[in-house]
Amino acid sequence: MRVLVLTGAGVSAESGIPTFRGKDGYWKNFDPTRLATPEAFARDPQLVWEWYSERRQRIRNARPNAAHEAVARLTRHLGDFLLVTQNVDDLHARAGIPAERMVQIHGDIFVTRCSRCEFKRYDYEPEQERAVPNCPDCHALMRPGVVWFGEQLPWNELKRVENFLDGGACDVTIVAGTTATFGYIIDWALQASRGGELIEVNPEETPLSRLATRLLREPAAIALPRIVDQLISARHPRL
Ligand SMILES: [Zn+2]
């Protein structure tokens, strides 16, 4: 069985990570969709850095929920599997999904990279100082290793998704906890699910809803464990 799972902010919201959209997403009266941009960083790098420091802190303190656990369980039962997440947190990884079976298409919040050169490092510990760090190689400002609004998707990760899609259609494609705002999420879901099942897990309707073969209007932490049980038992039928 070949399976693609696409996840978004709704999956991590249930672990207490606020989504960008909605009133919970606001930070000190700033709209996150306007903080997560190259323009915001150019205008006020300190403000953007502080916001990401707080998000890192919140993520370190959060725990994977039943949705993350369910996707990890699926990974252990299937050989032909890829998770593409839009989430920059590490909750899927902490639930036990190996890096080679997961693509973080919007980057990793715990990576700090140079805004000018190729230098980057993994920063999991709380920041020692609150100021925006400088690159040890070229002294330019460092920034979080995430994809901001208006930026290109990382080429390597994009390639990994395309390679998986080129490997053939999926029996099951699951899109969970994402409003499918980005065109590429819809494109990948459709390309993967051609001829197979396309399951949408989201409490609200999305642009993908009318194309799905099955709709589950529930939070991911409720619906995903059930779907995964069904998929695993379908793969190992009781004789
Ligand atoms: Zn640099």
Side-chain angles (χ1 to χ4, degrees):
M1 196 191 294
R2 188 170 165 80
V3 176
L4 174 69
V5 177
L6 294 151
T7 65
V11 169
S12 292
E14 292 164 62
S15 288
I17 313 292
T19 61
F20 277 23
R21 296 173 179 84
K23 63 177 170 52
D24 286 351
Y26 272 74
W27 176 77
K28 296 182 181 175
N29 291 323
F30 290 103
D31 177 353
T33 59
R34 305 189 68 161
L35 283 173
T37 63
E39 293 77 20
F41 188 71
R43 197 166 50 235
D44 193 342
Q46 183 64 33
L47 177 75
V48 173
W49 184 257
E50 280 175 28
W51 179 55
Y52 277 97
S53 294
E54 284 199 23
R55 279 186 82 81
R56 282 176 169 180
Q57 183 65 44
R58 194 185 268 265
I59 291 164
R60 279 190 297 263
N61 293 336
R63 287 168 176 277
N65 63 53
H68 300 104
E69 306 288 351
V71 179
R73 198 150 49 88
L74 196 55
T75 320
R76 290 194 287 275
H77 280 84
L78 299 176
D80 209 0
F81 172 94
L82 187 69
L83 166 69
V84 178
T85 183
Q86 299 168 78
N87 299 337
V88 298
D89 61 57
D90 64 341
L91 296 177
H92 277 300
R94 270 197 270 155
I97 301 195
E100 68 271 16
R101 313 193 76 182
M102 168 171 68
V103 170
Q104 282 188 286
I105 199 65
H106 291 168
D108 178 343
I109 196 170
F110 292 110
V111 168
T112 301
R113 69 174 174 86
C114 180
S115 56
R116 184 192 294 154
C117 75
E118 298 296 308
F119 180 84
K120 63 178 172 184
R121 66 181 179 222
Y122 191 73
D123 273 339
Y124 198 77
E125 299 303 315
E127 278 74 41
Q128 297 301 311
E129 46 204 304
R130 304 287 289 174
V132 190
N134 288 93
C135 174
D137 285 353
C138 77
H139 307 293
L141 291 178
M142 301 277 279
R143 52 163 285 182
V146 300
V147 178
W148 282 331
F149 291 101
E151 291 188 313
Q152 304 262 328
L153 297 177
W155 191 85
N156 285 348
E157 303 304 291
L158 205 52
K159 225 48 219 164
R160 291 178 62 209
V161 177
E162 286 172 1
N163 285 345
F164 182 81
L165 293 172
D166 289 346
C170 292
D171 303 290
V172 180
T173 303
I174 302 170
V175 183
T178 172
T179 47
T181 313
F182 298 110
Y184 45 87
I185 298 296
I186 297 175
D187 290 345
W188 293 338
L190 294 182
Q191 197 184 335
S193 65
R194 56 191 189 273
E197 198 170 7
L198 175 55
I199 304 173
E200 181 182 68
V201 178
N202 208 58
E204 288 155 38
E205 186 164 328
T206 81
L208 207 58
S209 301
R210 64 188 177 81
L211 304 163
T213 55
R214 192 170 157 198
L215 295 171
L216 293 158
R217 293 271 171 261
E218 291 172 295
I222 305 290
L224 276 180
R226 199 170 66 235
I227 296 172
V228 167
D229 283 344
Q230 288 166 2
L231 290 178
I232 291 172
S233 58
R235 190 173 170 274
H236 300 290
R238 288 202 188 93
L239 298 173

